[in-house]
Amino acid sequence: MSRLLHVSKSKYRVVISDTLPYERPMFFSNRFFARFLKFYGVEINGDVLIASKHTEEPGLKEFLEILGGKKGASRSSFHYSITKDGHKEGRSLSVIHPFHQIKMVDFYDRYKMLLIDFCSRSNYSIRFPYKVADYQKKQKGFHKIFSDDAEPIDTSESLKHFFAYKYYKNINFFYGDYRFLRAEKKFRNMTKLDLKRCFESIIPSTLSTAMFNNKMENCEGSLAFYFCKLQDEFNKSRDGIIIGPEFSRIYAEIILQRIDLELEKQLETEEILRNKDYIFYRYVDDGFLFFNDVEVKERFFYNYISELKKYGLSINKDKIVAFSERPFVESISIAKGLLLRLVDERFQNRLDTFKGFVHSQNNRIDTPTKLDFKTFVNEVRTIMCTCGEDIKYKDITSFLLGVVQKRLMLLIRDFNLLYGQYCKAAANASINKYGMTIKERYEREFVEFSKSIVEVLFYFLYCDMRMSTSLKVVSVINKLQLFVRGTYDIDEFNKSDKFPEHYIEKLDEKISDEIASLFLNIKPEKYNLMEILNILEVEKTMQVKNQISPKVLNDFWRKCNGKALCLNFFTVFEVIHFIKDAEGYNDLKHMLFGWIEEQIHSLNDSMSSSAEAVLTFLETMCCPWIDNYKKIEYARLLCGDASDKIYNFAKKQKDIFIKWHGYKLDEAIQQIHSSEVY
């Protein structure tokens, strides 16, 4: 059976894959927005949004006016910060205005083949779009591991990209691949380089030079002119181009490919030939130069710097890494190899080892799973110190947690096959006393193993508080939560819980204790608050009695006082999404709803429509835990006599960007991680 599925041909899938940053909260996506746009056939006509289908529906016109802003309105993007190495105040990512997202749908529909053409001209690039994606890979069928009656999650709306990409989906796949090894065999030296603040430094108007070798004012009506105009609208009063969405990487790729072409041409005039005198590979803004003659390197850098300067770009001198002998292996690569081996050893099925075999021969009860927090962390620290003083947690944590997650799933699969037999036998009363002893030992040890993993995860989260780390921590913990909450099918009519309730509560209490400790000890800043609050996602799976107490979150939020910039659409709605209608949060709710009211009041200015304010209004109207009288008040503020229509229309939509009803964390995780497309 094929592992590939046809992807939707709808033009609106652009907003699912290419208009949002990857590093965002899990509860937020564009898949419901794409459904909405497709259902109503939303288009832009004369600087306003109109519907081409179901136009008779009451409230639709008013809803679209708020969604897209009034004609002539200034539509600003929603900028937020995440932790980023080398950025003291964090890196600013952007969600463009819903109106502009719909503009990008039209832009891709008109220019998709030209975008592919202008991104396929370089001999250096090893990541570029080469066709509109037709297929996506099926998700691995791990759902049955969690519960016998689990259904696979529909990932048809979680597309990673609009285009299919060559050659590498991640730069880590380049290391050790045949291109790298072939170049290492042919050339004695390699220099790794990186462009300095690439997206922030690009001069948007140089796109016309890159595409047509002409000034922007002479290219009116072209792809370059329209794309540049959009970037200016998205990024008003800021340098460079929008950071986060995939379309900005395409913007940068077109410019970088022109630089590649000019560089190769100039080197040829100096009789320095690609594949003979050097090989250069570029993955977005990372470059790898292989060469034999130092003079070739000097001429390459001289010409590259000259070409980059024309577009406002430069090489980051602090990140140049030179190799003068083979193998061209960085200490970080060695560390990752050792970490991979460590995880394979510590997360293997203990019953399959020689030690496990000896224990079984001596009739000793052993368990498939066991992990000592202190030992594992110290082994990781030893590897880091052994491989070089320059290795920091930020260099290895994301990789390590990704490997842990993959190995953990295989270990849970093995454990599930064995443990399931004991659970089903116990449910059928076909197990003896010794068998029950083994079953109880397995479930007790697995929960202890899970608690150790939770401790490991939070240790690395403390050491490397970034959005990518936070997302992986949430993902791994959720898989443990799903497994212990799962069921086995005993027969056609009966099911058995995998673990007794008190073991589930033990794991939940451990998770909540670690979160409470994190909130107590960490210092919230504008650029790390999203990462910290993201960990609340695992609390949403628990019963209220096992969640962190209101005092923990209230005390944490007091530490944010005086940091008004910490409040943004994502942080406010992450907290609301967690606390729902729980008691004990009156002061916190008062502050959050005060911020919401300010945002909604800002929409009363017909000439201003910020993406953050629009998202706030729409999700306030959809949120089931905000009083209806407040929703009607907000609708009346913006729509006057049409307030009832907008209120009823929004109520009917239920989910626009945030999943409020029937929210499942495992589904949100799969949607945000997305499948590769081909």
Side-chain angles (χ1 to χ4, degrees):
M1 184 181 292
S2 173
R3 295 187 62 207
L4 296 179
L5 299 170
H6 283 283
V7 300
S8 168
K9 296 297 183 182
S10 169
K11 65 180 183 178
Y12 293 112
R13 69 183 174 92
V14 170
V15 302
I16 297 176
S17 59
D18 281 41
T19 62
L20 290 182
Y22 167 74
E23 292 169 307
R24 63 184 191 273
M26 290 183 174
F27 65 79
F28 184 90
S29 78
N30 263 2
R31 57 198 177 100
F32 308 115
F33 182 46
R35 285 184 201 173
F36 172 85
L37 297 178
K38 184 178 180 181
F39 182 78
Y40 290 105
V42 179
E43 298 172 351
I44 294 173
N45 184 4
D47 200 43
V48 295
L49 297 183
I50 62 167
S52 60
K53 295 186 283 187
H54 310 289
T55 55
E56 73 288 347
E57 195 162 334
L60 174 59
K61 180 182 177 182
E62 291 78 8
F63 188 87
L64 290 178
E65 187 174 272
I66 293 175
L67 178 68
K70 294 182 179 179
K71 186 174 182 179
S74 173
R75 302 174 177 100
S76 58
S77 300
F78 163 39
H79 305 290
Y80 63 96
S81 297
I82 62 168
T83 306
K84 177 71 175 177
D85 182 47
H87 295 67
K88 291 182 179 179
E89 295 300 317
R91 163 167 265 190
S92 177
L93 302 184
S94 303
V95 176
I96 61 175
H97 195 285
F99 179 87
H100 288 142
Q101 294 192 44
I102 298 166
K103 264 196 170 183
M104 289 307 301
V105 171
D106 176 67
F107 177 78
Y108 269 61
D109 196 42
R110 290 168 57 186
Y111 295 118
K112 54 182 178 283
M113 302 313 296
L114 272 177
L115 290 174
I116 291 170
D117 182 47
F118 279 100
C119 287
S120 305
R121 300 185 170 194
S122 167
N123 290 316
Y124 297 155
S125 181
I126 53 176
R127 186 198 183 273
F128 58 91
Y130 74 100
K131 70 169 189 172
V132 176
D134 297 309
Y135 302 95
Q136 73 175 135
K137 189 178 287 187
K138 288 182 182 177
Q139 296 277 13
K140 290 186 177 179
F142 281 126
H143 56 282
K144 290 293 183 183
I145 294 176
F146 302 125
S147 195
D148 282 352
D149 60 353
E151 295 295 328
I153 292 171
D154 180 9
T155 58
S156 61
E157 294 178 306
S158 59
L159 305 174
K160 204 173 191 73
H161 303 297
F162 180 82
F163 297 109
Y165 282 77
K166 285 187 176 180
Y167 292 97
Y168 303 99
K169 63 181 181 180
N170 188 295
I171 193 171
N172 292 321
F173 291 100
F174 173 60
Y175 297 103
D177 192 54
Y178 77 95
R179 284 185 178 82
F180 191 97
L181 296 177
R182 186 177 60 189
E184 185 180 63
K185 180 175 70 173
K186 188 172 183 178
F187 297 97
R188 294 188 300 272
N189 304 291
M190 192 267 278
T191 297
K192 180 182 172 184
L193 56 95
D194 177 66
L195 301 187
K196 188 174 183 180
R197 301 174 72 89
C198 177
F199 291 84
E200 299 99 315
S201 302
I202 285 176
I203 301 171
S205 60
T206 57
L207 184 66
S208 61
T209 305
M211 297 181 74
F212 309 118
N213 199 25
N214 214 325
K215 292 181 178 180
M216 191 61 73
E217 55 264 30
N218 298 328
C219 298
E220 190 168 345
S222 69
L223 182 160
F225 184 85
Y226 190 24
F227 209 174
C228 179
K229 184 179 177 183
L230 286 172
Q231 281 285 358
D232 286 341
E233 290 180 22
F234 303 159
N235 213 31
K236 287 178 181 176
S237 75
R238 289 174 177 243
D239 295 329
I241 60 176
I242 283 284
I243 302 174
E246 183 60 34
F247 65 74
S248 279
R249 297 182 83 168
I250 292 174
Y251 199 101
E253 184 65 23
I254 293 172
I255 291 174
L256 292 171
Q257 289 220 4
R258 178 55 184 255
I259 293 171
D260 292 346
L261 288 172
E262 294 301 318
L263 174 61
E264 184 176 3
K265 188 188 300 182
Q266 181 59 35
L267 290 172
E268 284 178 354
T269 63
E270 299 179 22
E271 298 185 349
I272 300 174
L273 304 179
R274 183 177 63 87
N275 290 332
K276 178 186 176 185
D277 300 301
Y278 75 98
I279 291 178
F280 181 62
Y281 293 119
R282 179 183 55 76
Y283 183 96
V284 191
D285 55 350
D286 290 297
F288 304 84
L289 174 65
F290 298 84
F291 61 95
N292 287 322
D293 191 338
V294 174
E295 188 176 340
V296 169
K297 173 189 172 182
E298 290 175 352
R299 295 308 305 163
F300 178 93
F301 268 78
Y302 176 81
N303 286 293
Y304 198 25
I305 290 169
S306 298
E307 291 300 325
L308 288 169
K309 190 175 181 181
K310 296 175 184 177
Y311 297 87
L313 299 169
S314 62
I315 293 173
N316 190 338
K317 295 180 181 179
D318 296 333
K319 289 191 175 183
I320 293 177
V321 181
F323 296 87
S324 57
E325 59 181 45
R326 305 179 183 97
F328 306 145
V329 180
E330 293 182 81
S331 55
I332 184 63
S333 298
I334 299 171
K336 287 180 177 179
L338 294 175
L339 290 170
L340 179 60
R341 186 184 304 172
L342 172 66
V343 172
D344 281 342
E345 291 175 357
R346 294 293 172 261
F347 284 78
Q348 64 183 327
N349 184 343
R350 286 158 49 86
L351 301 184
D352 288 344
T353 64
F354 178 74
K355 190 174 181 180
F357 172 76
V358 172
H359 284 174
S360 66
Q361 295 299 305
N362 295 329
N363 293 320
R364 290 177 57 186
I365 300 175
D366 206 349
T367 58
T369 57
K370 197 177 182 86
L371 183 71
D372 181 70
F373 157 74
K374 183 177 69 174
T375 301
F376 182 77
V377 168
N378 279 326
E379 287 173 327
V380 172
R381 294 169 72 237
T382 299
I383 288 172
M384 292 174 64
C385 294
T386 302
C387 292
E389 295 179 359
D390 58 327
I391 296 180
K392 309 298 180 187
Y393 281 110
K394 65 178 179 61
D395 301 318
I396 59 98
T397 304
S398 186
F399 169 82
L400 175 63
L401 297 186
V403 172
V404 165
Q405 178 168 266
K406 289 179 182 177
R407 200 65 185 85
L408 175 65
M409 290 306 300
L410 298 176
L411 182 54
I412 290 178
R413 182 192 62 189
D414 288 354
F415 178 83
N416 187 54
L417 289 171
L418 180 61
Y419 176 65
Q421 297 177 46
Y422 286 93
C423 286
K424 292 174 182 179
N428 288 324
S430 57
I431 189 172
N432 60 22
K433 185 177 180 180
Y434 184 67
M436 283 300 296
T437 301
I438 295 176
K439 174 185 177 295
E440 290 167 1
R441 173 84 182 272
Y442 281 176
E443 60 194 19
R444 183 175 66 251
E445 289 294 332
F446 184 84
V447 171
E448 290 302 315
F449 167 76
S450 299
K451 288 165 66 177
S452 294
I453 291 178
V454 169
E455 207 167 353
V456 166
L457 294 172
F458 274 92
Y459 172 84
F460 288 110
L461 184 61
Y462 270 105
C463 296
D464 182 23
M465 180 57 75
R466 288 182 297 157
M467 183 56 84
S468 60
T469 313
S470 178
L471 292 172
K472 283 189 170 71
V473 167
V474 169
S475 180
V476 175
I477 291 177
N478 181 244
K479 286 170 173 52
L480 296 173
Q481 291 176 312
L482 286 173
F483 184 70
V484 299
R485 285 169 167 75
T487 61
Y488 290 117
D489 288 340
I490 305 305
D491 54 42
E492 187 177 353
F493 304 103
N494 297 306
K495 298 182 184 297
S496 167
D497 292 334
K498 287 188 175 181
F499 286 82
E501 186 65 28
H502 67 275
Y503 279 127
I504 297 174
E505 291 187 359
K506 276 190 174 183
L507 178 57
D508 287 348
E509 287 167 3
K510 176 63 177 176
I511 296 167
S512 291
D513 286 346
E514 290 288 346
I515 292 174
S517 178
L518 175 72
F519 282 8
L520 177 65
N521 294 303
I522 201 161
K523 181 182 179 183
E525 300 286 357
K526 172 189 173 183
Y527 56 83
N528 71 3
L529 190 57
M530 274 180 50
E531 289 96 319
I532 299 169
L533 292 176
N534 189 58
I535 208 67
L536 289 174
E537 291 290 328
V538 296
E539 293 279 309
K540 298 172 186 177
T541 307
M542 305 177 191
Q543 295 183 43
V544 174
K545 66 178 182 178
N546 297 321
Q547 293 177 344
I548 57 171
S549 70
K551 184 179 185 305
V552 172
L553 188 54
N554 287 328
D555 287 348
F556 172 75
W557 208 262
R558 288 189 192 97
K559 293 197 291 185
C560 302
N561 282 346
K563 298 184 176 72
L565 291 176
C566 288
L567 291 174
N568 64 40
F569 171 78
F570 283 149
T571 58
V572 167
F573 279 88
E574 177 71 86
V575 175
I576 293 174
H577 201 258
F578 164 64
I579 63 179
K580 300 181 174 66
D581 54 358
E583 297 180 356
Y585 294 102
N586 291 338
D587 291 344
L588 179 53
K589 286 181 180 179
H590 180 74
M591 181 175 67
L592 298 178
F593 292 151
W595 181 89
I596 286 173
E597 289 193 8
E598 287 180 11
Q599 290 293 317
I600 293 174
H601 275 275
S602 72
L603 289 174
N604 215 17
D605 179 359
S606 61
M607 298 311 295
S608 177
S609 175
S610 78
E612 188 171 26
V614 170
L615 294 174
T616 299
F617 175 77
L618 297 180
E619 293 309 327
T620 298
M621 299 302 288
C622 294
C623 177
W625 300 295
I626 294 178
D627 292 333
N628 289 333
Y629 79 87
K630 294 296 293 183
K631 296 179 182 181
I632 294 171
E633 178 186 321
Y634 297 147
R636 188 173 294 121
L637 172 70
L638 299 184
C639 303
D641 294 338
S643 59
D644 287 344
K645 288 194 290 184
I646 194 78
Y647 168 74
N648 290 321
F649 183 84
K651 188 176 181 180
K652 179 183 175 183
Q653 303 310 310
K654 292 187 178 180
D655 303 314
I656 303 288
F657 296 96
I658 296 176
K659 178 75 170 174
W660 294 107
H661 305 80
Y663 179 71
K664 295 179 181 177
L665 178 56
D666 56 317
E667 181 181 23
I669 290 170
Q670 286 213 40
Q671 298 292 352
I672 202 168
H673 284 159
S674 307
S675 299
E676 287 297 327
V677 291
Y678 301 91

